[in-house]
Amino acid sequence: MPHNHPETELHNPQSTKPPLDPHLKALENEAIHIFREVAAEFERPVMLYSIGKDSSVLLHLARKAFYPGRVPFPLLHVDTGWKFQEMIAFRDEMVEKYDLDLVVHTNPRGAKENVTPFSHGSALYTDIMKTEALRQALDAGRYDAAFGGARRDEEASRAKERIYSFRTPDHRWDPRNQRPELWNLYNGMIRKGESVRAFPLSNWTEVDIWRYIQAEEIPIVPLYFAKKRPIVERDGMMILAEDPRLELLPGEMKREEVIRFRTLGCFPLTGAIRSSATTLDAIISELETATVSERQGRAIDRDQSGSMEKKKREGYF
Amino acid sequence: MTAPAIANAALDDATAVAAYPAQEPVRATRDSRPLRLITCGSVDDGKSTLIGRLLWDTKAVKEDQAATLQRDSNGKQNDLGLPDFALLLDGLQAEREQGITIDVAYRYFSTDKRSFIVADTPGHEQYTRNMATGASTADLAVLLVDARVGLLEQTRRHATIATLMGIRQFVLAVNKIDLTNYDRARFEQISHEFKELALSLGVRQVTAIPVSALKGENVVYDGRASMPWYDGPTLIEVLELATTRSAQTVGFRLPVQRVSRPGESFRGYQGTVAGGSVKPGDSVVILPSGMVANVTKIVTFDLVRNAAVAGDAVTLVLDRQVDVSRGDVIAAIDSQPMTGLAFDAQLVALQPEGIQPGKRYWLKSGSRRQRVQVQPASQLDLKTGKWNHADELPMNAIGKVHLVFDEQAIFDAYEQNRTTGAFILIDPDTNNTVAGGMITAKRAALGGIHAEESRVILSLPADLADQLMATELFAGRREDVEIRRVTAGKAAEIIDTIDG
């Protein structure tokens, strides 16, 4: 059945909104251009959806790129089983609200062997439940292009990513032999089994993301806003203590603090920050004076220098 | 203030447009477009250190990153007790092991006045392709030279590639000036030499700055204490005042990326405006078919707009059923791109196999991909600046070539439009990107391989071209005559190329 006529499609005319400033507008145009290019050049694109703020921006841009049509590819959520509960609820709400196709994949081996961040440590857990799971899901869907929300300002090896990042049939990234990428002319030619990861947000910074969320009124998971929440302190991080699977270790105490999250991953591996920022304005001004980087709260980056690159070579996003 | 619920209504009604301001509001300084710059120069001239210093002194390095940096540069601290800044940039394991930059790193930083995207590009000749990658989108190039060593062939190569790619603003950072005891004469000699090179490349905007990236002199903070003889700007001052490339060029262009057909009643052509502007009511031509139509609507997610300008990603709706598909170009009817089967171009060979004469490559330009044969004509000798005859182009060569197509190709000269004048070559055997190129002119004929076109090409000064195009007489002779705008000084050169 053909989709709704565009004329009758639910759409919020946001005509009272001021136009985007030229900087955000340029970033938006670039991202839309990339979305359209990938959708036109590849047979089976998919968009990685991790439910975080970058994913929310990515989704919004995808909707813009293909309007008045609907998003012409599915969203893929690699669910480790250890996401924040609020994230899953938010995901399902978005899928419903925007009429999206969602594919959820969890590594069956991990589920069977009961791989958890506690029993296996963050590195092995991430390898099995994220990297391996992602490779399984991409193979199962025979996807030849996968959109991701990675930004070059996040981490040193991400700063080296192309916008079209070429992957071998076993999903490997060779950072020493990337295709040259000139102007906005992206080379999408691949052989069967090979794929490309496409990063429409490459040139965005963390502050750009927040300013765009504000300007475009993009819905995000409420965990980004400060609120009194139960936490325990572990390995120098404040971990959200609302999931019954989180067992307190000897000496640990659950307590309430006004916190928020600057980045969202698996709850046992994501540290909260003390903050009273309950609005986007407050978040942005907090960021502009922040003295630590965004990924400071992510345990998986800390294992060793270069650990992100290693994970990426093996197929992590 | 503005009409509510206008978007839905306007989609039904070609005449309704939302109250979208045709002109962007006056920008606040911090909101202007970021300046995109590259740093280039030879190996060990200190590029990574310079950018590390820029990031450090503009407070773009956060506490946890600084702690990691201190840890990673364990034992490598310099005598100033500062960490090894290059490690901020060389994020790959192999780069750290070898102490060199292999691939472009993009970094983001800002001052109170402006934000910047800097591409730190490799100095090694074998990674020239990555330097070209960075240069293709940059507004400005910072060329580093080691004050003790002076200009090298690699400096010339990078300056030349940057110029070919349209960069017209250069900063010459004469680095490690502290290691020459702040020798003014040495600085002036190198600046003079570089300015001569820049002039020969046609670049007039060069700022030379004596710098110690390591000590942070004349980067963000001035180096007056050590160099009282230098009273020019610091690097950051130059960057704050530099101009961004203008995407505005003569003649509306929209390379069609996708046809949007969400339902029976809607057909739109999606793409990014690559030059000029368009508004509902404008007549456009679809190339290569040559069919003509009028624009009825410019659709975006938020609003039906009353104009779209270069850089805008939009969806166009036309007033009649015409055959338009991906790869076509929708263009202004009174200022069309060149179409033809043979063109001249300059290119940079990016892969070890070079460019093979007669080999058929894929060429991608805009959203159009087609087969092309490449005939090398000459190669630039970086030592002498002369173009020598060449039958093939090895890796890293800068060459002039003839492009021969099987079917109509659509281009502008790169000088006139950086989007529709640029292309990449893809090797069909490896799928790798093997060259980046820039169109210089259309070729009327090529050795009798293809039938000669009957169109006459006139290269005229821009004002004269405008006048002629405005006349009734000319409007009827579009098929026969092609008029190209040139600046007065360029006319002779372009005519030479056409003849040659």
Side-chain angles (χ1 to χ4, degrees):
Chain A
M1 214 184 92
H3 190 65
N4 289 344
H5 288 179
E7 285 82 353
T8 58
E9 196 169 56
L10 184 71
H11 172 57
N12 272 334
Q14 296 166 319
S15 50
T16 53
K17 233 176 37 181
L20 285 174
D21 72 54
H23 173 56
L24 291 179
K25 187 79 203 163
L27 290 172
E28 179 188 80
N29 281 327
E30 179 183 64
I32 290 174
H33 182 85
I34 294 162
F35 264 118
R36 289 170 170 175
E37 200 63 10
V38 172
E41 283 200 316
F42 291 86
E43 279 171 32
R44 294 180 64 84
V46 67
M47 185 182 123
L48 270 286
Y49 183 61
S50 68
I51 325 170
K53 61 184 188 303
D54 303 298
S55 276
S56 295
V57 168
L58 203 60
L59 174 58
H60 184 74
L61 290 162
R63 293 176 56 230
K64 283 195 160 192
F66 302 106
Y67 177 84
R70 68 197 284 262
V71 175
F73 40 75
L75 269 56
L76 171 64
H77 177 218
V78 174
D79 190 354
T80 58
W82 293 87
K83 294 287 161 194
F84 294 86
Q85 288 155 15
E86 279 180 70
M87 291 173 77
I88 303 299
F90 181 85
R91 176 194 75 191
D92 295 340
E93 194 187 314
M94 290 299 112
V95 166
E96 173 75 27
K97 187 173 172 186
Y98 297 134
D99 183 24
L100 304 166
D101 299 325
L102 176 74
V103 177
V104 178
H105 179 80
T106 304
N107 186 346
R109 170 167 91 99
K112 199 170 123 223
E113 293 173 10
N114 197 26
V115 174
T116 75
F118 308 120
S119 58
H120 289 67
S122 68
L124 185 57
Y125 160 81
T126 303
D127 185 47
I128 296 171
M129 297 310 282
K130 293 175 94 169
T131 309
E132 188 177 297
L134 175 64
R135 288 201 307 247
Q136 289 168 349
L138 293 177
D139 287 341
R142 289 180 292 112
Y143 301 118
D144 55 358
F147 293 102
R151 307 188 324 263
R152 286 171 176 154
D153 80 326
E154 282 178 86
E155 198 271 340
S157 69
R158 286 207 160 146
K160 303 262 171 182
E161 276 282 6
R162 298 286 194 257
I163 287 179
Y164 272 29
S165 183
F166 176 81
R167 303 297 160 119
T168 60
D170 60 353
H171 304 286
R172 287 191 176 262
W173 177 59
D174 181 0
R176 301 181 68 171
N177 197 23
Q178 302 191 73
R179 289 177 176 175
E181 196 163 85
L182 293 91
W183 301 287
N184 63 351
L185 293 172
Y186 308 112
N187 176 356
M189 297 196 64
I190 55 168
R191 291 199 184 92
K192 203 170 162 53
E194 295 170 343
S195 63
V196 157
R197 308 260 174 111
F199 299 105
L201 303 182
S202 288
N203 286 318
W204 298 53
T205 64
E206 188 186 10
V207 175
D208 294 332
I209 292 286
W210 282 110
R211 291 181 54 235
Y212 189 72
I213 287 170
Q214 182 177 49
E216 292 284 301
E217 297 158 15
I218 298 170
I220 48 167
V221 180
L223 289 162
Y224 286 112
F225 296 103
K227 199 178 130 185
K228 191 179 264 188
R229 295 184 171 96
I231 58 122
V232 292
E233 215 155 335
R234 182 176 294 178
D235 300 331
M237 292 194 304
M238 288 188 290
I239 299 171
L240 191 69
E242 62 173 20
D243 190 305
R245 292 174 296 176
L246 178 74
E247 289 173 19
L248 294 187
L249 302 175
E252 283 183 346
M253 289 262 291
K254 204 190 266 197
R255 63 169 198 269
E256 299 232 304
E257 283 237 25
V258 178
I259 54 150
R260 69 176 198 88
F261 291 86
R262 196 166 160 190
T263 168
L264 290 175
C266 295
F267 81 83
L269 302 176
T270 308
I273 56 170
R274 282 194 186 83
S275 165
S276 57
T278 55
T279 62
L280 290 169
D281 272 333
I283 288 174
I284 291 166
S285 66
E286 186 179 281
L287 274 180
E288 285 175 339
T289 55
T291 55
V292 293
S293 81
E294 176 183 16
R295 295 199 72 90
Q296 190 261 346
R298 294 289 277 264
I300 60 165
D301 288 359
R302 294 202 204 161
D303 304 336
Q304 63 178 102
S305 277
S307 62
M308 172 76 90
E309 178 186 351
K310 192 168 161 293
K311 284 196 280 286
K312 274 158 53 65
R313 279 169 174 271
E314 287 158 8
Y316 184 74
F317 239 79
Chain B
M1 201 173 76
T2 46
I6 198 100
N8 290 333
L11 276 171
D12 284 323
D13 179 358
T15 59
V17 287
Y20 188 91
Q23 293 207 307
E24 302 285 359
V26 178
R27 2 171 127 165
T29 311
R30 68 177 297 276
D31 290 338
S32 351
R33 284 199 300 159
L35 184 82
R36 302 186 69 127
L37 63 134
I38 51 165
T39 55
C40 43
S42 193
V43 188
D44 295 331
D45 285 347
K47 294 181 297 296
S48 297
T49 307
L50 179 74
I51 300 179
R53 172 57 82 170
L54 271 173
L55 297 174
W56 189 266
D57 285 352
T58 55
K59 314 276 186 285
V61 181
K62 301 295 187 188
E63 280 170 13
D64 55 314
Q65 294 165 332
T68 306
L69 185 64
Q70 293 285 4
R71 190 188 74 199
D72 289 350
S73 44
N74 191 23
K76 277 199 202 165
Q77 274 98 334
N78 53 63
D79 54 7
L80 302 171
L82 292 165
D84 181 358
F85 290 131
L87 295 179
L88 280 174
L89 280 302
D90 293 338
L92 301 175
Q93 296 291 306
E95 293 178 320
R96 290 172 172 226
E97 283 156 22
Q98 299 172 35
I100 59 165
T101 305
I102 292 172
D103 208 338
V104 192
Y106 293 91
R107 293 285 154 161
Y108 306 80
F109 67 98
S110 54
T111 64
D112 292 342
K113 298 200 173 80
R114 185 173 220 173
S115 63
F116 303 91
I117 301 177
V118 54
D120 178 28
T121 68
H124 281 263
E125 184 177 350
Q126 74 182 108
Y127 297 115
T128 296
R129 59 174 180 266
N130 295 329
M131 181 270 159
T133 291
S136 70
T137 54
D139 303 301
L140 177 147
V142 178
L143 263 135
L144 269 92
V145 172
D146 185 327
R148 299 165 302 174
V149 181
L151 301 193
L152 295 171
E153 183 174 319
Q154 192 68 339
T155 322
R156 292 172 187 278
R157 176 177 284 113
H158 285 176
T160 308
I161 292 172
T163 313
L164 283 183
M165 297 209 155
I167 297 175
R168 294 290 176 267
Q169 304 170 88
F170 280 107
V171 175
L172 178 75
V174 181
N175 193 25
K176 307 190 188 184
I177 193 78
D178 50 319
L179 301 181
T180 69
N181 288 322
Y182 303 99
D183 183 348
R184 180 179 189 169
R186 180 74 184 139
F187 167 72
E188 281 170 358
Q189 179 202 345
I190 294 172
S191 318
H192 178 74
E193 224 179 295
F194 183 76
K195 281 175 182 165
E196 296 223 308
L197 167 67
L199 263 180
S200 74
L201 294 170
V203 175
R204 278 170 200 85
Q205 201 175 334
V206 177
T207 312
I209 308 174
V211 162
S212 166
L214 194 62
K215 297 191 169 178
E217 290 164 326
N218 288 331
V219 181
V220 171
Y221 302 107
D222 73 60
R224 244 171 254 142
S226 318
M227 292 165 272
W229 47 266
Y230 176 76
D231 59 2
T234 60
L235 176 59
I236 200 81
E237 284 167 348
V238 177
L239 299 183
E240 282 173 339
L241 290 173
T243 53
T244 49
R245 282 187 189 195
S246 170
Q248 282 283 17
T249 42
V250 183
F252 168 68
R253 304 282 184 268
L254 183 96
V256 176
Q257 285 184 286
R258 267 185 106 238
V259 179
S260 169
R261 291 225 60 189
E264 288 304 310
S265 60
F266 186 88
R267 180 197 283 265
Y269 305 105
Q270 302 189 317
T272 306
V273 179
S277 64
V278 70
K279 58 185 191 307
D282 282 0
S283 293
V284 291
V285 61
I286 293 118
L287 297 169
S289 74
M291 289 198 289
V292 170
N294 297 309
V295 175
T296 54
K297 276 180 261 188
I298 302 166
V299 178
T300 66
F301 181 83
D302 300 302
L303 295 165
V304 170
R305 294 177 48 170
N306 57 18
V309 299
D312 288 343
V314 295
T315 302
L316 285 194
V317 180
L318 303 178
D319 67 341
R320 65 198 76 169
Q321 291 283 341
V322 280
D323 183 19
V324 183
S325 51
R326 173 174 168 83
D328 288 358
V329 177
I330 303 179
I333 206 159
D334 58 356
S335 169
Q336 300 184 17
M338 302 180 277
T339 56
L341 295 170
F343 288 85
D344 288 334
Q346 297 184 328
L347 59 74
V348 185
L350 303 170
Q351 300 293 352
E353 60 269 30
I355 294 297
Q356 309 296 324
K359 179 165 175 164
R360 295 175 80 240
Y361 294 93
W362 285 110
L363 177 145
K364 187 176 180 187
S365 177
S367 53
R368 194 169 173 82
R369 196 176 74 194
Q370 56 193 136
R371 279 308 185 91
V372 66
Q373 248 182 306
V374 183
Q375 308 284 2
S378 57
Q379 181 183 345
L380 181 64
D381 182 333
L382 290 160
K383 288 194 185 76
T384 61
K386 289 208 167 66
W387 293 91
N388 299 329
H389 174 81
D391 292 320
E392 56 184 313
L393 296 170
M395 170 144 124
N396 296 326
I398 297 165
K400 289 186 177 172
V401 299
H402 309 312
L403 304 174
V404 184
F405 294 89
D406 302 343
E407 51 179 351
Q408 292 285 310
I410 308 163
F411 290 108
D412 285 294
Y414 186 73
E415 282 221 334
Q416 299 185 349
N417 189 311
R418 278 185 223 286
T419 306
T420 50
F423 62 86
I424 54 171
L425 292 182
I426 300 166
D427 185 333
D429 302 335
T430 62
N431 284 339
N432 210 344
T433 305
V434 295
M438 294 135 283
I439 294 293
T440 46
K442 176 173 164 172
R443 274 181 91 73
L446 192 77
I449 296 175
H450 289 285
E452 191 169 337
E453 286 225 6
S454 57
R455 273 175 122 186
V456 174
I457 302 172
L458 294 177
S459 293
L460 298 171
D463 53 340
L464 192 56
D466 285 342
Q467 276 181 34
L468 191 54
M469 283 190 190
T471 61
E472 282 279 287
L473 177 70
F474 185 71
R477 305 298 296 271
R478 275 263 142 228
E479 294 297 304
D480 311 323
V481 186
E482 176 174 310
I483 294 199
R484 303 194 32 226
R485 293 178 167 80
V486 290
T487 53
K490 277 282 157 207
E493 190 184 316
I494 288 176
I495 290 163
D496 276 355
T497 320
I498 292 166
D499 292 341

